[in-house]
Structures are given as structure tokens and as C-alpha cells.
Amino acid sequence: TVRNITDNIMNEARTLTINTAHLDKVDHYAANPDSTNYSDLNALIEYCHSYTNTLKHLHSIYIYGDGANTILTDYGIFDFKNFSDHGWYEEYLKLNKEETVIFARKKNNYYPFFITIIHPIYPADVNKKGAVIININIQEMTDVFYSLDMNSLSTQKFYITDDNNTVIYSEEQRDL
């Protein structure tokens, strides 16, 4: 069913976000980006690429290092100020403990429509050093539903809610 598919995609992405935030190489990159060796950086880039290349609905994975103000993606490493997507950053700043936040947004207030999942990185010390950000492309995700040829989809609406049952996506939002 649509609900099962959505739940699986969301649970998979949340788990990936949390697990990635707890990788030793990610901890090291977030805490000491300048001292992270080249092979570890390449391994992280390939790690991100392996998921975005395999899971069609997974648009991007960002690993944000607060100390150096850099973002590692499946395409390389970028200075935050030169990075093309800052739409998640305000939510990141609000995080003050190890928690996962999920919200809907448009990349740079334009397109595509994302469900973004953020989990902060807390290496050995107690200070937040960055975050793992995963962006799910809602169009790609909903295309899966329509490809199932479910007759009921033509007469029903679907919603995606967060853990508090707050609607974070409905089809009406696609045209915003």
C-alpha cells in the first residue's frame, strides 16, 4: 500500500541519516575537517554517492562540518557560502540536542520539493559539530505510487506526517 511504501522510505531515510551521523569518519570530518585524510574524504563522498545513485527518491546527502563551514556531498566538498542549497540551515541551527528533525521544503524555495531529514553530529565532546542532511525528492517518491497502477490513487489523497502527526506534505503542496 501507499502507506507501507511511504513508511518504508521514511524509516529507511531516517535510519540512514542517524547511522551516517554516527560513523567514525563522519565524526572526524565534522570535528576536524582540515585533518581528515584524502582517502577518508573520498570514502565519504563514495558512501554518499552509493545511496543517491541507488535510491532514485534520494536526491542528496550532505555532511555539514560546522568547524570549517564545509559541506561534503556525493559530488565533492564545498564551502558553505558557495553551496547552492541553504534551505535546511535554519532548522539545523535550532537543534540543540541529538535529535532528528523532518520537514518539507523546496530547494532554495524553488524546486524540487524535498522532505529533509537532519540529524546533528556530536563527536566525543558535547558540542554539536555539524549534521547529516538527507533530501528525499517527493516527486520521485510519489512516482513510485503512481507506477503501481493502484486504482484507488485516482480517487484518494495522501499525506505525509511527522512523528507528531503534523502534515509535512500533501499533494496540494506540489503546486506551491
Side-chain angles (χ1 to χ4, degrees):
T1 67
V2 170
R3 180 182 177 153
N4 290 342
I5 294 169
T6 303
D7 286 348
N8 286 341
I9 289 172
M10 295 301 295
N11 288 334
E12 174 186 74
R14 179 193 297 252
T15 301
L16 178 60
T17 307
I18 294 168
N19 289 344
T20 302
H22 289 98
L23 292 173
D24 288 339
K25 289 177 183 173
V26 171
D27 278 353
H28 185 75
Y29 170 75
N32 307 298
D34 294 332
S35 69
T36 304
N37 68 50
Y38 181 76
S39 66
D40 283 351
L41 291 174
N42 267 345
L44 287 173
I45 291 167
E46 286 300 317
Y47 173 86
C48 293
H49 186 71
S50 70
Y51 285 99
T52 57
N53 197 36
T54 306
L55 303 172
K56 188 175 179 184
H57 58 273
L58 198 63
H59 179 273
S60 50
I61 301 174
Y62 307 153
I63 301 172
Y64 174 63
D66 209 1
N69 217 19
T70 58
I71 297 176
L72 183 145
T73 74
D74 58 335
Y75 292 106
I77 302 171
F78 305 89
D79 287 329
F80 179 77
K81 65 182 179 196
N82 297 326
F83 193 62
S84 64
D85 181 15
H86 295 135
W88 52 271
Y89 189 69
E90 281 186 40
E91 292 296 326
Y92 164 75
L93 291 175
K94 295 176 189 175
L95 294 172
N96 57 9
K97 61 183 178 181
E98 191 164 345
E99 61 186 336
T100 304
V101 64
I102 300 172
F103 57 99
R105 68 185 183 95
K106 290 182 181 177
K107 183 178 179 181
N108 294 323
N109 295 318
Y110 181 65
Y111 182 84
F113 212 114
F114 288 156
I115 293 176
T116 296
I117 304 172
I118 302 175
H119 191 83
I121 300 167
Y122 283 91
D125 61 25
V126 295
N127 297 318
K128 178 173 65 174
K129 299 292 185 187
V132 173
I133 300 95
I134 289 187
N135 297 302
I136 298 169
N137 184 324
I138 293 177
Q139 181 66 49
E140 294 290 344
M141 186 172 76
T142 57
D143 285 351
V144 172
F145 307 151
Y146 294 108
S147 71
L148 296 175
D149 194 29
M150 298 174 144
N151 293 331
S152 63
L153 281 180
S154 62
T155 60
Q156 295 183 9
K157 295 186 181 204
F158 68 91
Y159 302 89
I160 299 173
T161 61
D162 63 13
D163 292 338
N164 299 319
N165 288 326
T166 302
V167 175
I168 60 173
Y169 177 77
S170 70
E171 286 189 281
E172 289 79 29
Q173 288 174 303
R174 292 171 96 180
D175 298 324
L176 293 177

